Amino acid sequence: MKLSYEWLSEYLDLNIEPKDLAEKIERTAVEVDSVKRLDYKLKKIVVGHTLEVEMHPDSDHLHIVQVDVGEEEPIQIVCGAPNIAADQDVIVAMHGSRIKDNVKIKRSKMRGVPSNGMICALQEIGFDDAVVPKDYVDGIYVFPADSGVEPGDSVMEALGMDDDVIDTDITPNRGDMFSMNGNATEIGAILNEDVTFESIVPSDSDQSDQDSNEQISVKVSDPVFAPVYKMKVINNLTVEDSPFWLQKRLMKAGIRPINNLVDVTNYIMLKYGQPLHAFDYDQLPEKTITVDKAGENVKFTTLDGEERDLRADDLLIKSGDVPVALAGVMGGMDSEISDGTKTVALEAAIFDPILVRKTARYHVLHSEAATRFERGIDFSSIDNALDEAATMMAQLGNGQISQNTVVGNEVIPEEKQIKISLVRINKVLGTELSADEVGDIFDRLGFEYDLDEVNGNFNVVAPLRRWDISIEADLLEEIARIYGYDNLPSTLPVGPTTIGSLTDTQKIIRDSRTTLEGLGLNQAMSYGLTTIDKARHFIMADGETVKVDWPMTKDHEALRMSLISGLLDDIAYNEARSVDNIALYEQGRVFKKAGDNVQPTEIEHIAGAITGSLIDSSWINKDEKVDFYQMKGVVDQYLQNLNLNGAVQYRATDQYPEMHPGRTANIFIDDQYIGFVGQVHPETQKAYKISETYVFELNLSTLIAQPKVRQHYEMISKFPSISRDMALLVDEDVTNQNILDVINSSKQKFLVNINLFDVYNGSHLPSGKKSLGYQLTYQDSKATLQEEVVNQEFESLVEQLKTELGVTIR
Amino acid sequence: MSLEDQLRDLEQKSLKDIKETVDLSKLNEVRVNLLGKKGPITEVLRGMRELSKEERPKVGSFANEVRDNLTETIEKRRSELEQAHLERKLKRESIDVTLPGKPVAQGNPHVIQQIIDNIEDLFLGMGYQVVEGPEVETDRYNFEMMNLPKDHPARDMQDTFYITDEILMRSQTSPVQARTMEKHDFSKGPLKMISPGVVYRRDTDDATHSHQFHQIEGLVIDKHITMGDLKGTLETLAQELFGDRFEVRLRPSYFPFTEPSVEADVTCFNCMGEGCKVCKYTGWIEVLGAGMVHPNVLKMAGVDPEVYGGFAFGLGPDRFAMLRYGVDDIRNFYLNDVRFLSQFNKRG
Ligand SMILES: [Zn+2]
């Protein structure tokens, strides 16, 4: 809310700079967005009185104006505003002045005619378009007669622009800070100062003999809709502009002056926080008012001119059967105050905050009134607000208020009584406050209380204006903030010792990240929500995709079922920016539907993607493009670090439509499927707009659950080892795994290591054949191995390879 | 010529030969020729048989003297030649040490991960546990257990991705706290936890908004936890993350799940409190929200608010990273530009 320092000063003796006051408000109550003066950087802008206005000889819209600016001679200004006329008090930016955005105004010639300044619109000196009176939106501003301005007066002073406006950002619990009265009370508590409120009292001439109750009747169909609903009728009114002081206050608060009647409702809303609505009594089709829900298929034109299809639950004010207002949100076009309005039915009500909020939200009508109803209204000030508004209307519109108030409903809640003990206060806040200090804080806040001096128990009465205070914790907050958070001690929790350590799962996940980073992959974080198509790419286990109900965009509509898809998006982003060597990994969740109205299954995955070279080329090493075996090496090393009990196996697969059918392997730990590694299918690469890319994705949850080897020290053999090399000529379709399977199945007692050192399928081999070279290492941990023993083992192995795979030894 | 004269001549001549030898293999030849079985010294010694008994030991010892001298000289020369050879070899092997080293592969943790790990480590050290929970939550845990019933106005503050009426993308990591509180056995001691993770909001992505970001929330529940403990904990956190010179100030705020609720500002790291554009000339930057756990939240999780109480706090690592490193667009964190990611490879 925009708080005028000048207006606040009416209630409080403010001996504090506006900036300092703002800081106090921020540290004790609510956040402050800004402290601004409208005259910031404005210079040499004065009131001018137009003497003569004549057409510019060479223009169809420019006028040559002689203006009295309080100097000995009038000055001449060329002005293009359509509403310029003689005998107006206007805003004149003199030669050398500064207007909005620090723009400098200089003497000039306009189509040959000298112009010694500029006659300004309100927007040109910094007012927001939305607060400028309608008559002056498209032209220059003209001071009203009651402004009492004289030529040469400072415009900034005349318009009250020299006032500081503190703009607060109010939290949902502080509805009381949406009124000047509430702010004055709060600031009084903060500064420990007394507050004085004044209200306008009706005189005899403001009263009419008529009785409101005979003019109109009111019914609230369910008391829950509007705990309070009241009306007053004001007769014989004349609609005209509000007095200058009132217009200025509204503009500073961010509200556009309309006319005396509407302005009063807004002014009283700002003062008391109580939204009011003025109906043109004569335009109400029937003089019976009902507060009720809209029901099915109702259309209603709000005063902004828009016809709206109402929700059945929207709360309406009806005149007879005709809707005349969206309760608490916006009035209707047909019963709006117009220039011809003579009689006003003035509504002061408290509507159900939830109903108002839903209506405001659905129709996107977050009006000042709706905001206040949503945050809560002070039940104790509604009568004052209604009375003062009626009086002001009568006085400003030369009308008379009918006797009595029409009451449709009036359910005022009880003030809440809350118990709190001094011991409890100090225990929770960590303070050492005395009962006197606490009592003083309650006094400042205007909370009444009883204190049991013996045991330090307070019984506090929360005033109705502070509807947010209902439990002990609320009082603790009040005490803490008025006492000052800066004054709280700084301690750390004491109590029984707890052990802080990561779980095994968390440790494995952290280690996984470290390993992959050590292997050259950068950690990526991609979006969990993606397109429906991409969500289903590279999926490891079938399942239904989870979609959000009301996505913001098609790009983030479904929950990912693999991580690779996101990594490929990342690669595309990099390649589009000419980054060619990209190595990324991601660790995170994938999702699949587990049933209706149940949470989806979330599985931890880890995936990597490399394109280009893992290691940058340089003067010393050539560009070495990533290939299947490099990616497999990364996966191998990672799995090795996990210290799995089971054996890692790779089996060729063509099951993934997004993967190269001849360059992809499923990965198993013993027979447990854990993921895959391979090259992205060329078609998929094209679709993602990426180059040749190798990827892997593993189910980390399954990996974490796999049994791990219990590490123990293995004695390093003191005895020498013996190696044997063999070059096997085999059919091209015999795989390394086929050969390893034979070796592992043969009874090799002392074989400790197998190293594939050569793969050759060059031209001088018979066609359809390839050659694989293995080095076998034999060792006995307890004795020196005899050549004959090794020879025996080796020979029997070779024989087995010959029989089972038809190998030839080269 | 006497034997002694012959030896003397031989010695003089050989010493000269040795000094003139510049080649290791030549030197070896000289040694074999001079000192071998068929060499001149052996030859001379053979002539000793013709000498008298008195002269033999004298000539013999002189001959040995000559042989020792020659042997020593040869060895000395060999060492000289070897040294020179080595020096020439090393000289030939010299390289340009200013050429760049051979590149190796090295990846980095994501900058947000670094901040999360940093905070986790701090709190692990203070006896907290790290707890994770589902990213897709129920309305009950995400909102209702956090004292945000269905029609609560504060629900508007965080527009949520719903999947069904009851299932949603979590908009905060607080549901993890509710789940942990429910399960915690308070007879075994206090609950001290932090919950890091991804959260989702229905926001249009732009420089300062992201529909996905990270949160870390902390929770301590015990019998004697004070608001002073909250203040001290937040100061410790700020100083761990930013440095000792940083101060924390608390301001009133509103969260449905805490009462009192505060927002915590930290000294602006750009201007150290002087006031600048980053901190909107206040000298402070808002970094986290916190408060004393609302009794309703305790009750709903089955914890007696008459006996137990505590504090909770929450912060956004994305925002931290933006402030700490001057990142001006939150989308950078999720686009994974390698040039962006690899900037954060220096510790500290
Ligand atoms: Zn700053």
Side-chain angles (χ1 to χ4, degrees), chain A residues 12-261:
Chain A
L12 284 156
D13 197 5
L14 290 175
N15 293 311
I16 181 168
E17 284 294 308
K19 278 229 173 302
D20 298 335
L21 176 61
E23 159 124 22
K24 287 221 183 246
I25 293 173
E26 175 151 87
R27 298 185 78 151
T28 323
V30 294
E31 212 166 314
V32 170
D33 276 349
S34 62
V35 184
K36 274 191 197 139
R37 281 170 63 130
L38 262 177
D39 64 1
Y40 182 63
K41 289 205 170 157
L42 299 186
K43 216 170 76 181
K44 285 182 81 175
I45 305 173
V46 300
V47 175
H49 188 78
T50 54
L51 302 171
E52 281 169 43
V53 177
E54 58 188 47
M55 285 302 290
H56 190 295
D58 297 325
S59 166
D60 57 0
H61 71 281
L62 292 177
H63 291 86
I64 301 166
V65 191
Q66 306 303 323
V67 193
D68 173 4
V69 290
E71 291 171 357
E72 271 175 37
E73 295 290 323
I75 61 170
Q76 174 175 297
I77 295 176
V78 177
C79 176
N83 61 333
I84 184 82
D87 201 23
Q88 288 176 330
D89 289 320
V90 295
I91 302 167
V92 177
M94 304 287 283
H95 169 71
S97 66
R98 298 275 181 170
I99 59 169
K100 190 191 169 198
D101 297 332
N102 212 18
V103 173
K104 192 171 182 177
I105 300 299
K106 279 187 270 182
R107 232 175 246 130
S108 65
K109 274 191 177 169
M110 291 180 84
R111 300 205 186 162
V113 178
S115 180
N116 297 302
M118 179 168 125
I119 301 178
C120 298
L122 285 174
Q123 293 95 317
E124 285 165 326
I125 58 168
F127 282 89
D128 191 74
D129 220 30
V131 308
V132 175
K134 275 265 152 63
D135 288 349
Y136 308 120
V137 169
D138 297 320
I140 53 158
Y141 180 69
V142 181
F143 285 93
D146 69 330
S147 63
V149 292
E150 296 287 337
D153 284 358
S154 156
V155 160
M156 286 74 93
E157 274 174 43
L159 286 170
M161 298 172 80
D162 52 350
D163 186 14
D164 289 86
V165 176
I166 301 173
D167 198 1
T168 57
D169 185 6
I170 299 165
T171 46
N173 59 326
R174 293 303 303 269
D176 63 302
M177 300 278 286
F178 270 113
S179 71
M180 290 309 292
N181 285 3
N183 275 287
T185 308
E186 174 68 24
I187 292 166
I190 295 172
L191 301 177
N192 200 7
E193 279 197 37
D194 292 335
V195 193
T196 37
F197 293 116
E198 276 168 31
S199 49
I200 300 163
V201 202
S203 63
D204 289 347
S205 61
D206 300 332
Q207 316 276 3
S208 148
D209 296 336
Q210 300 190 70
D211 184 345
S212 290
N213 283 304
E214 281 167 19
Q215 290 173 289
I216 200 157
S217 72
V218 174
K219 198 176 102 214
V220 177
S221 58
D222 183 334
V224 172
F225 296 162
V228 180
Y229 194 94
K230 299 185 175 190
M231 271 192 162
K232 265 186 180 308
V233 180
I234 307 104
N235 315 279
N236 304 321
L237 292 160
T238 310
V239 175
E240 53 189 25
D241 283 345
S242 292
F244 188 53
W245 69 265
L246 179 52
Q247 294 195 34
K248 286 195 289 182
R249 280 213 169 153
L250 291 179
M251 288 200 292
K252 272 192 279 189
I255 293 174
R256 188 200 311 276
I258 309 282
N259 58 45
N260 51 355
L261 305 186

Side-chain angles (χ1 to χ4, degrees), chain B residues 268-280 283-285:
Chain B
C268 174
F269 14 77
N270 193 47
C271 65
M272 288 314 294
E274 296 287 312
C276 70
K277 214 173 145 193
V278 174
C279 59
K280 293 186 193 137
W284 297 97
I285 288 189

